[in-house]
Amino acid sequence: METVPYPIGENHPDPTLLFSIDRKHLKWMNGAAESWLRKPKSALIGQCISEFGRGFDELKTHINQLGNEDSTSYRGHDIIVNVRRIDFVCSFNIYNSAAGIVVQISPKEMGSGFVHATGPDQSVSMLGRMLAHELKNPLAGIKGAAQLLEVELENPDDLELTGLISTEVDRIGRLADRMEKFGQADFDNYTHFNVHEVLQKTFLIFVNQGLEDIEFVELFDPSLPDVFGDSDGIMQVLINLLANAVDAIKSVETHGVIKVETRFRTGIHRLDQTGRKHALPVEVRIIDNGPGIPEALRDRVFQPFVTGKSNGQGLGLALISKIIADHGGLIEVSSEPGQTEFSILLPVEPQADKG
């Protein structure tokens, strides 16, 4: 049995499969795939993916659409496959590697609000709980210090900053609470909210970072309906994307411009876990004039551990992708030298399986 030349595939929480270069047969799969398919590697090695069950022939079609260049990848959503007489709605990512064609699948059981649990998810959940515990300890001290400062301050601008510290500590605390439940789908915090209010709070964080050399341009559509989702999670997405844009601009000597645009889009839909379509009419676009994403990484930026930063971990965009997927939304990126654009599409109504 062939060993995949990168250990990340084995430990990835999503089912990951490796197919031959000619795309005809399975060479390897990780433990998450064995757990999901309920079959050992030995039973499936050598088979064509269309033999796995109903719906997998559509995934085979997408595999065959992948280009042959090493940097090529293909992302897709909302195919329905049947495993063990259970229908799953799947997003997927397909890309080339030295060993063959890699397929990573994110399955959600139809009619359930829970991501299908796989073996490695237990270790991921444990990591989430450990991180949340370590994160909460300093948060209480930071908030206490901010409250003590407020007693001594009189300047309204200074009080606004201490208020921002307290607000952000509370938001991070709520995220930490959710990290302790990592791997479980919890939609109790989903509600309608104004995305522009979230954007304004996000801008406030960056305005106080001394970024005078970077111009922030707001192009908002005031007629947009409220988004349905978790405002804390969406704010984290926006913070990460803006931070990436700032880092990109700082890496080159240019007048930095970051444009944030909102607009109403029609005709964009996704399937929820009941197989029903839901609209994604609210779009948020973040555009920067940095150097652009390296061509070799552009199609893989949402994969874990893929980064163009010398000190990066490659987890920020993977986290963003997960948060948007949990909302039933979409995120796409386009990039060329001198411009990178991220587009987020979000729902305005609860999905049938989430509310």
Side-chain angles (χ1 to χ4, degrees):
M1 185 179 301
E2 183 164 349
T3 301
V4 171
Y6 47 89
I8 292 173
E10 179 58 54
N11 296 320
H12 198 282
D14 285 335
T16 303
L17 305 100
L18 177 71
F19 290 88
S20 57
I21 293 292
D22 62 11
R23 309 164 196 220
K24 291 184 178 179
H25 64 271
L26 179 72
K27 298 172 63 177
W28 173 91
M29 63 183 183
N30 68 353
E34 289 185 288
S35 177
W36 177 49
L37 295 170
R38 296 279 180 89
K39 290 184 179 180
K41 293 184 181 74
S42 57
L44 294 175
I45 295 297
Q47 288 191 19
C48 175
I49 193 169
S50 60
E51 300 173 7
F52 286 13
R54 178 167 53 82
F56 281 95
D57 52 346
E58 183 178 353
L59 189 55
K60 179 185 177 183
T61 300
H62 290 297
I63 293 173
N64 290 334
Q65 291 174 346
L66 184 71
N68 294 318
E69 295 80 10
D70 290 343
S71 62
T72 301
S73 73
Y74 185 95
R75 300 176 69 234
H77 311 275
D78 303 335
I79 65 167
I80 299 176
V81 302
N82 186 274
V83 177
R84 310 184 307 274
R85 299 182 180 179
I86 300 173
D87 285 333
F88 291 85
V89 178
C90 300
S91 299
F92 58 89
N93 191 27
I94 307 168
Y95 58 94
N96 287 302
S97 76
I101 308 300
V102 179
V103 180
Q104 289 179 334
I105 303 172
S106 298
K108 293 186 179 181
E109 184 176 334
M110 291 182 66
S112 167
F114 294 88
V115 177
H116 178 69
T118 55
D121 280 343
Q122 296 177 0
S123 59
V124 175
S125 299
M126 180 65 73
L127 176 61
R129 290 192 292 271
M130 291 171 60
L131 288 173
H133 176 74
E134 295 301 319
L135 191 61
K136 284 181 174 181
N137 289 332
L139 286 179
I142 294 171
K143 185 168 184 178
Q147 290 171 336
L148 288 174
L149 282 172
E150 283 184 342
V151 176
E152 304 293 331
L153 296 175
E154 296 181 358
N155 187 305
D157 291 339
D158 294 337
L159 289 170
E160 183 179 23
L161 288 176
T162 55
L164 176 62
I165 293 171
S166 295
T167 299
E168 280 301 288
V169 166
D170 290 340
R171 184 184 65 82
I172 295 170
R174 291 192 296 269
L175 287 174
D177 288 338
R178 268 163 257 168
M179 286 173 66
E180 291 183 312
K181 302 176 182 178
F182 194 84
Q184 303 176 25
D186 179 7
F187 304 110
D188 291 343
N189 295 298
Y190 280 37
T191 186
H192 285 95
F193 65 90
N194 187 317
V195 72
H196 295 140
E197 293 179 358
V198 175
L199 280 165
Q200 293 294 352
K201 292 178 183 177
T202 305
F203 282 145
L204 192 58
I205 294 172
F206 289 89
V207 165
N208 292 295
Q209 288 187 8
L211 302 173
E212 292 82 3
D213 295 335
I214 299 178
E215 179 184 1
F216 287 84
V217 179
E218 302 175 12
L219 300 171
F220 292 172
D221 178 354
S223 67
L224 283 184
D226 286 351
V227 167
F228 184 79
D230 173 15
S231 60
D232 287 342
I234 295 302
M235 185 168 177
Q236 189 63 51
V237 167
L238 297 170
I239 289 172
N240 285 14
L241 289 178
L242 286 173
N244 285 348
V246 168
D247 289 344
I249 289 172
K250 284 183 174 179
S251 69
V252 293
E253 295 183 3
T254 184
H255 171 65
V257 179
I258 298 175
K259 295 180 182 179
V260 181
E261 177 183 355
T262 63
R263 60 179 180 175
F264 192 86
R265 289 281 300 273
T266 59
I268 309 296
H269 298 84
R270 283 203 64 179
L271 296 181
D272 62 26
Q273 286 144 293
T274 67
R276 299 175 182 174
K277 282 186 178 181
H278 67 275
L280 303 173
V282 174
E283 182 179 29
V284 180
R285 301 167 69 208
I286 296 177
I287 307 165
D288 70 70
N289 66 337
I293 300 171
E295 185 175 359
L297 302 180
R298 287 175 195 168
D299 294 327
R300 301 185 290 123
V301 292
F302 296 111
Q303 297 169 20
F305 312 109
V306 173
T307 180
K309 300 179 183 179
S310 59
N311 60 343
Q313 302 298 316
L315 295 174
L317 288 177
L319 172 64
I320 287 172
S321 180
K322 181 186 185 303
I323 291 173
I324 297 300
D326 286 347
H327 282 74
L330 291 172
I331 181 167
E332 300 291 347
V333 61
S334 62
S335 185
E336 61 185 31
Q339 179 170 299
T340 296
E341 174 183 329
F342 283 88
S343 171
I344 303 167
L345 289 154
L346 296 168
V348 297
E349 297 294 341
Q351 299 172 50
D353 56 327
K354 297 181 182 179

